[in-house]
Amino acid sequence: MSTLDATRAELALVVLYLNKAEARDKICRAIQYGSKFISNGKPGTAQNVDKSTSLARKVFRLFKFVNDLHGLISPVPQGTPLPLVLLGKSKNALLSTFLFLDQIVWLGRTGIYKNKERTELIGRISLFCWMGSSFCTTLVELGELGRLSKSIKRLEKNLKDSDKYQNEEYCAKLQKSNDRTLALVKAGMDIVVAVGLLQLAPKKVTPRVTGALGFTTSLISCYQLLPSPPKSKVN
């Protein structure tokens, strides 16, 4: 493959990535929380960027609540323990509620909905829903990691006399475990971000802490949305 072909292929992946509304939202999220970290809650250019980017992101989330509503009514994989099923459905319900209420907040911030006090109240309720969904995600990922760990150990016993890293099933489970570990870290950080946005512990979770963690989880989200590179053919 020539240098030009390689460059064209890489640019195609970038275009594919940026065509996703979710990817653009997470890039804006990184800008928003990066600005929050810089401003540390103090008036200035960085805080203006934080507020304007936060408002702009709400456009990307219009009608996005339908995704989690669909997940709420979709069947779960067979063999999933009931507690994990209930936690997963609770996460879908809370996240869908957050995204729906967030649209009302957007209407209030743009001046379409005139009741400012109610807009602020709905905004806080939506953030509590998001915090609850992040908590449910944390528990789901912990449970799924436990199930994966047992499955990997059983597979290791069966592959005792062979190179386990040459086994496709083992490598797939290992990759899934890594993905879930990253999702667990992100969900845990998001809980703290929600605490910061709600100002539940203003002395410990300052705007700078909120900004730093929000920026980190945004980068994780951007990484999770990266398209898989095309597999090279081996002759």
Side-chain angles (χ1 to χ4, degrees):
M1 183 182 286
S2 66
T3 306
L4 182 60
D5 289 336
T7 304
R8 190 182 294 118
E10 289 171 359
L11 282 175
L13 287 175
V14 173
V15 170
L16 179 66
Y17 182 74
L18 294 177
N19 277 341
K20 298 177 181 178
E22 184 76 10
R24 294 196 299 273
D25 175 47
K26 298 309 177 187
I27 292 170
C28 289
R29 188 179 192 266
I31 295 170
Q32 175 194 344
Y33 283 102
S35 301
K36 187 180 288 291
F37 172 79
I38 294 169
S39 71
N40 195 24
K42 296 176 182 177
T45 304
Q47 191 180 67
N48 292 338
V49 173
D50 173 16
K51 290 181 178 180
S52 60
T53 310
S54 174
L55 185 62
R57 285 185 58 223
K58 296 185 187 303
V59 178
F60 291 113
R61 300 203 292 262
L62 287 175
F63 300 107
K64 192 180 171 184
F65 69 93
V66 176
N67 294 350
D68 282 279
L69 196 59
H70 180 263
L72 181 63
I73 62 176
S74 297
V76 295
Q78 287 187 349
T80 306
L82 182 60
L84 290 183
V85 172
L86 294 176
L87 283 169
K89 296 300 182 183
S90 298
K91 181 201 79 169
N92 290 135
L94 287 166
L95 195 54
S96 182
T97 304
F98 159 67
L99 292 167
F100 177 76
L101 293 177
D102 198 51
Q103 293 179 111
I104 301 175
V105 174
W106 174 72
L107 292 173
R109 299 276 165 81
T110 53
I112 298 172
Y113 181 63
K114 303 297 183 182
N115 194 324
K116 290 185 178 181
E117 289 184 3
R118 188 162 293 179
T119 298
E120 292 302 316
L121 176 61
I122 292 172
R124 284 187 64 82
I125 293 170
S126 71
L127 285 173
F128 273 112
C129 289
W130 179 54
M131 184 170 67
S133 73
S134 298
F135 184 72
C136 289
T137 302
T138 302
L139 295 179
V140 167
E141 296 302 337
L142 280 172
E144 291 292 355
L145 277 170
R147 294 177 68 206
L148 263 175
S149 178
K150 291 178 182 177
S151 178
I152 289 172
K153 285 179 181 178
R154 283 197 301 266
L155 198 56
E156 283 177 341
K157 288 181 180 178
N158 296 334
L159 299 171
K160 195 182 296 182
D161 300 327
S162 60
D163 186 1
K164 58 188 178 183
Y165 294 105
Q166 296 297 322
N167 184 276
E168 288 186 6
E169 185 184 357
Y170 180 82
C171 290
K173 286 183 181 293
L174 205 59
Q175 181 59 47
K176 191 180 287 186
S177 177
N178 292 337
D179 292 342
R180 288 199 173 277
T181 301
L182 189 61
L184 173 63
V185 171
K186 177 180 171 295
M189 287 183 175
D190 275 339
I191 292 172
V192 183
V193 172
V195 169
L197 293 174
L198 288 164
Q199 297 183 337
L200 299 178
K203 291 184 179 179
K204 293 183 178 179
V205 188
T206 62
R208 181 149 286 172
V209 172
T210 305
L213 292 178
F215 182 75
T216 303
T217 56
S218 300
L219 293 182
I220 292 173
S221 296
C222 289
Y223 169 76
Q224 290 173 325
L225 290 168
L226 284 174
S228 300
K231 294 181 180 179
S232 58
K233 293 183 180 178
V234 180
N235 294 326

